[in-house]
Amino acid sequence: MQHHENTDPIAPKRGKRARKALIANTVCKSAMISGFFLCATGAESASLSGCYERRYAAAHLVAHPDQQVRRVALAVKPMSGHAPWVANADLEMAIRRQKGLVSVVGDCTEDGDALLCSMDSDRGSFRLVASAPGEVLLTINSTLLLQRAPFNDAGPFVELKPNDRENNAFLLKSVKASACK
């Protein structure tokens, strides 16, 4: 995506709210050109395709002993021609006291100003919504069943449940695509 310089000489005089709306409108138009967009009404809009990550510091984990997730990486890729699906989601996590990574993949539909992502083989779902520029909030809707490769229907699985306050919502920041490989 190309960065376009704000050439509107009036925008700086309109205040922060107008400037944010102008930036959001530019992001939405750029995303629509690429064929994947998710635009809310008003000043908020975001294309949620990209790579997101969160690594929890040791101090955070000590303060939250019931939190099992040490790291979250999420790749969201636009897709077309598969209505109502608009994106693929590949979720990967590092879990406390476990070596390696567990993951799950699925497809997403638009859900208002968010994406609702249903994982393959009935392995749960989560909702993604833009939280701030470059951030998304991932919230578990139904029990996620993550697994280590090789993948099979027998497990074992790491379960993350929507009613588990320490392991059901993750604020992720946009990062370079290499973090999602």
Side-chain angles (χ1 to χ4, degrees):
M1 176 161 68
Q2 291 181 335
H3 173 70
H4 296 282
E5 189 75 17
N6 178 6
T7 56
D8 182 353
I10 300 170
K13 297 175 186 173
R14 292 182 191 160
K16 287 182 181 181
R17 182 174 287 213
R19 188 172 194 301
K20 284 182 182 179
L22 177 65
I23 291 169
N25 189 31
T26 302
V27 169
C28 186
K29 286 178 184 175
S30 298
M32 287 181 359
I33 291 167
S34 72
F36 175 71
F37 64 96
L38 187 61
C39 298
T41 57
E44 295 180 35
S45 70
S47 169
L48 298 181
S49 63
C51 179
Y52 301 91
E53 182 181 45
R54 174 86 184 256
R55 292 177 185 262
Y56 291 94
H60 174 90
L61 294 171
V62 167
H64 297 269
D66 293 332
Q67 181 175 330
Q68 297 303 308
V69 177
R70 294 184 291 124
R71 176 185 172 260
V72 180
L74 173 69
V76 179
K77 298 173 190 158
M79 63 190 286
S80 60
H82 300 282
W85 309 109
V86 297
N88 293 105
D90 188 347
L91 179 64
E92 185 176 79
M93 295 183 170
I95 304 296
R96 265 189 188 184
R97 295 177 285 285
Q98 291 188 18
K99 291 183 179 183
L101 300 169
V102 293
S103 62
V104 66
V105 298
D107 299 316
C108 308
T109 59
E110 290 182 347
D111 182 30
D113 64 346
L115 291 178
L116 181 59
C117 302
S118 299
M119 301 298 96
D120 294 349
S121 302
D122 295 323
R123 294 199 176 160
S125 66
F126 57 85
R127 188 170 191 269
L128 291 175
V129 65
S131 175
E135 293 182 350
V136 295
L137 179 63
L138 182 154
T139 306
I140 296 173
N141 285 353
S142 66
T143 301
L144 279 181
L145 300 174
L146 298 106
Q147 188 177 39
R148 218 177 304 298
F151 304 104
N152 61 58
D153 290 333
F157 298 104
V158 171
E159 291 185 18
L160 296 179
K161 299 182 179 188
N163 61 350
D164 180 350
R165 293 183 53 167
E166 290 287 345
N167 298 287
N168 73 345
F170 306 94
L171 183 61
L172 310 175
K173 294 187 184 252
S174 180
V175 294
K176 292 180 180 178
S178 60
C180 291
K181 292 185 181 191

